[in-house]
């Protein structure tokens, strides 16, 4: 089934080269979004924002879950199943530091077939969960004789309408990988935007290959973007591991009195029956079945306490943490449909504050994508991703093609040159 659309170009507001401050950006954005009050999913609506409202960052680069990759590679360290689940939680609370440390932004809309790849060199020294030291890892804490481990990341836009991308994270040295589909649904209420996972976004799937393919599914909660472009969360989300029969329920609390966000979250770890998984709220689980409790502020400090103990231990302190920089292939070794190279001219124009020129570049790129989509439709051709086997998967778990495996292996080895894509979406 094709998910493409070849309808007429979306409208774009007139623009100028006059820069906008954050307040005027917000007012302009809200004036555009007001046209979509009552629309079920504005993420599926085709409209083009003027360049001065965009962050000069490709969408595929912006959306990743490895703001602190050391928490990811340490998930499988412990021999204790509850401690491994706590390590998954530590990763969970660090994966979106970009929102904790800064405001959410509007990156470029990804084009069909666009892809992004990068890697991180991670100190092999994340502290054990049983040591209540939390993060960060002190500088130089890792053994100098130990080679840092490499975490590779590959993502590709597999559908343009609706916007869907597949991603794969791999760290062979630690026997851990993760994958999933990213898709958002959004609704504007008049004062804020409610963002929820799309139909094909079933969460993040983490696999521990050295522990009998132990798999964790992490579902995403709904988030609210307020008038100041701040992020608030008031929803339930879940982490499940059928092999260990452990489940987490996290409850992100409603805003406090007079609408003041408290950013509080509480949660529990308990044993569940994967075949009869009916418990969806913390109150559904008897106290004697709870193995650990979670509490804290998801923008500051998170704590846990084990069953039989009232003592709280620090799981993670986000206050001193910032996203870890990515290692990205040099632009001259990137393909034309690779994110940074594809958007290079637009990024340069925005950074130079040439917003009129930037909007023209953006419209030309969008028109090129529409022309290619129309040609495929006329020729009866169906779009197929290059690095992933399908546009979507019912299981929510994308599989790599041989080209995808080569791309990830090249990142591990520092070999970035890839064969040119025979077909591109834009």
């Amino acid at each position: 089934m094709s998910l493409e659309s070849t309808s007429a170009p979306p409208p774009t507001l007139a623009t100028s080269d006059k820069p906008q401050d954050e307040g005027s950006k917000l007012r302009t954005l809200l004036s555009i979004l007001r046209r979509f009050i009552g629309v079920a999913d504005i993420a599926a609506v085709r409209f083009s924002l003027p360049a001065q409202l965009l962050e000069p960052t490709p969408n595929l680069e912006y959306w990743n879950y490895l703001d602190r990759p050391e928490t990811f590679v340490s998930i499988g360290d412990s021999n204790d199943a509850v401690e491994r689940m706590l390590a998954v939680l530590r990763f969970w609370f660090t994966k979106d530091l970009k929102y904790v440390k800064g405001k959410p932004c509007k990156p470029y809309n990804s084009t069909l077939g666009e892809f992004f790849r990068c890697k991180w060199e991670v100190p092999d020294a994340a502290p054990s969960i049983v040591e209540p030291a939390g993060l960060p890892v002190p500088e130089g804490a890792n053994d100098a004789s130990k080679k840092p481990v490499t975490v590779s990341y590959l993502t590709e836009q597999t559908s343009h309408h609706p916007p869907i991308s597949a991603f794969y994270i791999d760290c062979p040295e630690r026997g851990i990988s993760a994958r999933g589909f990213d898709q958002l649904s959004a609704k504007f209420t008049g004062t804020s935007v409610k963002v929820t996972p799309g139909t094909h976004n079933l969460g993040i799937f983490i696999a521990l290959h050295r522990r009998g393919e132990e798999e964790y599914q992490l579902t995403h909660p709904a988030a609210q973007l307020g008038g100041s472009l701040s992020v608030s969360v008031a929803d339930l989300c879940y982490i499940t591991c059928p092999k260990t029969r452990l489940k987490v329920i996290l409850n992100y609390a409603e805003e406090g009195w007079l609408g003041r966000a408290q950013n509080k979250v509480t949660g529990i770890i308990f044993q569940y029956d994967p075949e009869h998984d009916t418990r969806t709220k913390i109150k559904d689980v008897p106290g004697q079945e709870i193995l650990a409790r979670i509490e804290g502020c998801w923008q500051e400090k998170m704590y846990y306490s084990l069953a039989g103990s009232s003592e709280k231990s620090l799981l993670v302190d986000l206050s001193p943490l910032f996203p870890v920089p990515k290692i990205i292939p040099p632009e001259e070794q990137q393909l034309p449909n690779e994110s940074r190279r594809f958007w290079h001219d637009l990024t340069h124009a925005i950074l130079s504050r040439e917003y009129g020129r930037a909007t023209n570049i953006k419209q030309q790129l969008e028109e090129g994508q529409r022309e290619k989509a129309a040609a495929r439709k006329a020729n009866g051709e169906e779009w197929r991703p290059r690095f992933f086997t399908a546009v979507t998967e019912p299981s929510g778990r994308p599989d790599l093609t041989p080209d995808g495996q080569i791309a990830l292996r090249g990142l591990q080895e520092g070999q970035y040159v890839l064969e040119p894509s025979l077909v591109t979406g834009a």
Side-chain angles (χ1 to χ4, degrees), residues 171-246:
C171 183
E173 294 155 292
R174 301 301 295 271
I176 183 172
S177 65
R179 54 182 170 164
F181 289 99
D182 279 327
Q183 180 196 10
L184 297 179
S185 177
K187 185 172 184 177
F188 185 59
T189 63
T191 58
S192 62
V193 178
K194 183 176 182 180
V195 181
T196 57
T199 305
H200 301 284
N201 184 343
L202 301 185
I204 306 169
F205 295 86
I206 298 174
L208 302 181
H209 305 297
R210 295 176 184 172
R211 296 195 177 275
E213 299 300 322
E214 191 171 290
E215 184 183 65
Y216 298 81
Q217 180 181 5
L218 296 69
T219 67
H220 300 290
Q224 201 93 1
L225 302 182
S228 61
L229 288 186
S230 59
V231 178
S232 62
V233 183
D235 198 8
L236 292 164
C237 63
Y238 309 95
I239 303 173
T240 52
C241 179
K243 188 176 180 67
T244 62
R245 303 175 74 86
L246 293 183

Side-chain angles (χ1 to χ4, degrees), residues 265-276:
V265 60
T266 56
I268 57 172
I269 302 175
F270 64 99
Q271 284 205 311
Y272 82 115
D273 182 354
E275 301 300 322
H276 301 90

Side-chain angles (χ1 to χ4, degrees), residues 136-384:
V137 180
E139 291 293 330
N142 56 310
D143 186 344
S145 65
K146 268 191 169 183
K147 180 183 175 183
V149 297
T150 300
V151 183
S152 299
Y153 177 75
L154 175 67
T155 180
E156 180 180 16
Q157 191 75 10
T158 59
S159 170
H160 190 58
H161 295 291
I164 302 170
S165 60
F167 69 88
Y168 202 100
I169 305 166
D170 197 23
C171 183
E173 294 155 292
R174 301 301 295 271
I176 183 172
S177 65
R179 54 182 170 164
F181 289 99
D182 279 327
Q183 180 196 10
L184 297 179
S185 177
K187 185 172 184 177
F188 185 59
T189 63
T191 58
S192 62
V193 178
K194 183 176 182 180
V195 181
T196 57
T199 305
H200 301 284
N201 184 343
L202 301 185
I204 306 169
F205 295 86
I206 298 174
L208 302 181
H209 305 297
R210 295 176 184 172
R211 296 195 177 275
E213 299 300 322
E214 191 171 290
E215 184 183 65
Y216 298 81
Q217 180 181 5
L218 296 69
T219 67
H220 300 290
Q224 201 93 1
L225 302 182
S228 61
L229 288 186
S230 59
V231 178
S232 62
V233 183
D235 198 8
L236 292 164
C237 63
Y238 309 95
I239 303 173
T240 52
C241 179
K243 188 176 180 67
T244 62
R245 303 175 74 86
L246 293 183
K247 179 175 179 175
V248 171
I249 301 176
L250 291 177
N251 182 18
Y252 287 80
E254 297 278 356
E255 289 186 353
W257 187 59
L258 295 179
R260 183 181 177 186
Q262 301 296 311
N263 301 316
K264 299 297 184 183
V265 60
T266 56
I268 57 172
I269 302 175
F270 64 99
Q271 284 205 311
Y272 82 115
D273 182 354
E275 301 300 322
H276 301 90
D277 183 13
T278 59
R279 295 171 175 176
T280 59
K281 297 181 180 180
I282 293 175
K283 66 179 183 180
D284 296 338
V285 183
Q288 65 271 22
E289 296 183 23
I290 295 174
L291 302 176
R293 293 185 181 272
I294 314 297
E295 63 178 283
C297 171
W298 62 266
Q299 293 195 356
E300 295 174 8
K301 293 181 180 180
M302 291 301 306
Y303 299 89
Y304 71 93
S305 56
L306 298 175
S309 172
S310 59
E311 181 181 356
K312 294 194 301 184
S313 297
L314 181 65
L315 180 67
V316 62
D317 181 5
L318 299 177
S319 303
L321 300 182
F322 287 87
V324 174
K326 311 173 187 72
I327 300 172
I328 299 173
E331 198 165 298
E332 62 271 15
Q333 295 186 42
Q334 295 180 22
L335 295 184
N337 59 323
E338 200 155 350
S339 290
R340 284 205 176 178
R341 183 173 168 186
F342 182 84
W343 296 106
H344 172 87
D345 291 346
L346 177 58
T347 300
H348 183 268
I350 292 176
L351 293 176
S352 301
R353 296 190 172 185
E354 300 174 20
Y355 297 116
R357 175 171 167 264
T359 297
N360 289 334
I361 292 170
K362 178 173 174 285
Q363 290 173 339
Q364 290 171 10
L365 293 172
E366 291 169 345
E367 181 60 30
Q369 179 169 223
R370 283 189 289 273
E371 290 174 355
K372 287 199 171 186
R376 284 193 298 273
K377 185 175 181 179
N379 295 328
E381 298 173 355
E382 185 175 346
W383 169 259
R384 294 186 181 278

